Amino acid sequence: MNDRLPPPAALFAASLLALFSITPFCPAPVSPAQDAATDTGSVAGPIQLDPLLQSVEQARVAAIDRARPSAVSVFVPGGGGGGSGVLISPDGFALTNFHVTSPAGTFMRCGLSDGRVYDAVLVGLDPVGDLAMIQLLGRDDFPYATLADSRRARAGDWCMVIGNPFLLATNLQPTVTWGILSGVGRYQYPSGTLLEYADCLQTDASINPGNSGGPIYNAQGELLGIVGRCSFEKRGRVNVGVGYAISINQAKNFLGYLRSGRIVDHATLGATATTDPDGGVVVSNILESSDAYRRGLRYNAQILEIDGRPVMTANDVQNVLGTLPSGWRVPVTFRYDGITKRVPVRLMGVHRQDELLAKMSSALPPPPPVPDQPEEEKDAEEKDADGNQDDQENDDEAPQPPDRKRPRPPSPHGGAKPAIPKSVSDLIIPRRGYANYHFNQVQQDRFIDSLRNQFPADQFPADAESKSTAWTITGKTGEAEVKLSVADDQFAILVGETAMQATKRSELYDAVDTDSIAGILPALDAWRTMLKLGPRKFGEAYYQGTMPLGGERPLHDCMIGLYGGMEVRWLSHPDSGLVECVEVFADRDSDPAELWILRDGDKISGLELRYGTDVALNVSISDWKQTETAQP
């Protein structure tokens, strides 16, 4: 590729050529004049670098200059630790590690290489993948990194790490280290902890405590990943040339989930796999309640691909699954009984929510160490307000950004924590299962605003929310006439001579659970109700994040609401915001009713009801009316 720098071997050869002549060394006689010139101190002209070596050096410096502004130094107010991060959007959203934000909670201070310090608020957490999203406040034009495609990275590629090792960036100038990618696609088991590093990058670029959460860039200054685990435990917590980074492609999969403000989980197939001695990977066990089983995966089936990535070993399977969020639907290719199938499979979560929250609370790591301080300063800071020594370890403290007076760290025995500025506290809403519920509400508002500006809502009066309304939809399926009607207390479907109706939402549950064509009714009525009430009044409703639709990208926004004992999902296109599918789950162990919405421009031209991969009903729409009904 023309945009890549020469490989290390070529650069090394160029360096040698620039420094040494390949002509055999034959010293010439030195004349008295030359000897005299040497004695008087005269020297030759400046050394001329080989043009190839000079261009490589200039490209390296330019890449560092492009990358450095997006690197973030993270400090925990009160001296409780810190680390590094990287900006990924102009409105201040940044990625770091879960274990970096843990000591801070919801509020931290962040510095950039321009010398400015910003308040930052926690957005979302991925404790399994050791990722966290924060938002720096105060600007809407932050410098941000260009995201690379980490799947294209190869061992031997040049890379650089920019961050805050040992929290030394008190002047907000991050450290830059240069090296190569030692390996790609590495997998590290949780090893008794919650953190799982899948498909990660390995580098020999110097990484130390405090670099955690910071960026690793390629030679062009594009973001390859987020620095995470290093081999420190038995090596005195110093770099030994073995560091790991979470790939940016994994982070891309979780960006929507992290923006939801939730505490999120990773995916499992609902099956285990082993490497076959004769080659390939086969299913060793499978849950009959899993979607993989419903799609035909069985014991001893050979798995060929997951999410478009070939798998040859059991390690490959875990490497792919470990980069995917729970609840995603991805294509899986497998061979069973001599037949090869490619089907979309809904992935399960690794943990139950209560289990995830319990493990997360017990997995909070200690803050990283910091440089030694003068004895006088340590003695002063290790005394509490009464002048008594406390038990706080100095290694748990961190330097503060230079624009603030350094406060004493909170005592483990109590004491006041640093006050959170109002501009930050206004953006924090605690709620169980969420890192910060405020950001979920932001996404809910964005969803309902978009929903109410698209057909059919944009065709009806703006005061429809205050009235009781009904939808009547007419059309055809083949040659048969179709009529659909949903209201607050009446649900009906007529297909040819077949009619079904219900007056309670509990009856609609049975329609979905039995894969009936009447499963289209709860999807339509939940849609109508969401338009009328909005997510705040709908009941239990939240923004899930982004996920594939039908197992295929692009990633769609997903809004979830509970309706009559069922879970409803609205999946909207990321660019247009148009709802393209409404899914209704009656039972997690069965296929949902999927209402696919077909459009002709801005208008809805058809509705298609699916269960799994089967189409139950296809309606070509001729008319869609909303009428006002009497209040119950």
Side-chain angles (χ1 to χ4, degrees), residues 473-478 480-484 494 619-623:
I473 303 169
T474 57
K476 284 189 174 184
T477 177
E481 298 288 338
V482 176
K483 185 175 182 179
L484 305 167
L494 175 67
V619 181
S620 177
I621 295 175
S622 58
D623 191 37

Side-chain angles (χ1 to χ4, degrees), residues 29-53:
V30 180
S31 66
Q34 291 172 321
D35 189 45
T38 302
D39 290 341
T40 57
S42 62
V43 295
I47 297 176
Q48 298 296 319
L49 291 179
D50 181 276
L52 173 61
L53 187 61

